[in-house]
Amino acid sequence: MLADRLTMIPGPTPVHPRILAALARATTSHLDPVLVAEFKSALDGFRTLGRMAEGKPFIVAGGGTLAMEMALVNVVAPGERVLVVSQGYFGDRWGDLAASFGIEAELLRARWGEAVPPEQVAGALAGGSYRAVTITHVDTSTGTGAPIAEYCRLLAGRDELVILDGVCATGGIDEPCDAWGVDVLLTAPQKAIGAPPGVAMCLFSPRAMARRHSLARASAYYADVLRWLPIMEDPGRYYSTPCVNEIFAVAEALRIVHEEGLEARFARHARLGAACRAGLEALGLATFTAPDCRAATLSVMRLPEGVDDAAFRREAYRRGVTLAGGLGPIAGKAFRVGHMGNIGVAEIAATLETVEASLASVGAKVPHGAALAAAAPLLGGEGA
Ligand code: PMP
C-alpha cells in the first residue's frame, strides 16, 4: 500500500514514496545546478513519454486547465475557429475556454459514454474551416477513451493543428504524437504520471511552434510559450519562479515511468483497468461507458437501483478508500474509480473488497467474494 488511505479517484492518484521524498527535498534556488539538472530531466522525460522527437516541452506552475489554455492561445488567434471533439465534461470545457478568448468553437458532442464517430469528424472537416481541432484523449467524466488514431488518420496532411488533451491518459496510455500527427500534447502530472498536482505540461511540435512564431502576439502573458522557450531550453534562466519542489517530484515521477518502461506501463494500466471492471461487474454493477471506448485509466460504474451515492461513498471512505462521484447528467447515478499512475494489484484488490463491503453496508445485495474472484485471473501474480 502506498498510504493509509487509498485515493482511487481519477486524479489526484496515490503518490509513490520516492516521489513524496523528492517533493520533501530542501527547497533550493530556482537557479541551483541541482534543480536545473532535475528540470532538464523532467523536460526530457516528458518529451520521450509523448514520443515527439522534435517537440518543445513546457512545464510551468499551474494545472491541466492552464495547459489547455496554453495549448489553445499559442496556436489559435481570436476570431479564428476550432473544432472541438467532445466526449464529456472536459471536452465541453474547450468551448468555454475558446469563448473566453474570442475564439469560435464548433462542438461535436458524443452521447455521454460514447465517442464521437470518426465519420462525424470527417463530415465537419469537409464542411468547415478550422485553425485547430481539439481532442480529449480520455474524458474523465465519462471514462471514454477516444479513437485518436482514427481521428488522426482523417487529419493527416491537413492544415488544422491537432491539440490533444492527455490529462487523464499521459503516462498510462500510449500517445505516439509523431506517428499520430499531434501538434500540441497537453497534460498534468496528478493522474497517470503519478505526481502531486501543481504544474501544466505541454509539448509543442515544430509546426505548432512555427504557428506561434507567425502570430504577432498570443492572448497571454504567463501562458505565452515564447516567453518560456528560453527557460525550457536552459532552465538556469529566469522568467517566473518555477515550483522547485514540484519540479523535483515530476522529475522523479517521470524517472519511474521510464524505469518501468512505456510498453510495460501501458500494459499494466490495460490489465489493471480490465481487472477492476471485471471485479465491479461481478458485483452486478454495469459499466457506464460503451464497450468499444472504455479507457484503461478509469472506470465509470452505474450504481444499482436504490443505492444512495453519498451514503455508499461515505461508507467506502470510512473503510479507507476514496471514490469519485459522477459528474453532470450521471451525478448521483454512477461513481468513478481511477486506476492509474503507480498503483498495482494490492490497490485494485483493496478497492474491490471495499466496494463490495460498502455496497452491502448500504443495503445492496452483492455476491460475497465475487469481485476478487472475477478480477484475480486478470490481476496476475505481479505486484507492479
Ligand atoms: N482535462 C481532463 C481530461 C481532465 O480530467 C482534467 C481534470 N480532471 C482537466 C483537463 C483539468 O485539469 P486541472 O483540474 O488540473 O485543471
Side-chain angles (χ1 to χ4, degrees), residues 10-12 62-68 89-91 93-94 136-141 165-169 186-191 197-200 327 336 340:
T65 306
L66 176 67
M68 292 171 72
Y89 179 93
F90 291 100
R93 179 168 283 191
W94 286 108
T136 309
H137 192 167
V138 172
D139 203 300
T140 321
S141 60
D165 175 351
V167 172
C168 198
L186 67 105
T187 194
Q190 69 268 22
K191 298 188 194 252
V199 286
L327 288 176
R336 296 174 301 147
M340 57 186 145

Side-chain angles (χ1 to χ4, degrees), residues 194-214:
V199 286
M201 304 169 74
C202 289
L203 204 44
F204 274 60
S205 71
R207 187 164 81 144
M209 288 308 296
R211 170 66 187 159
R212 171 63 194 93
H213 281 290
S214 77

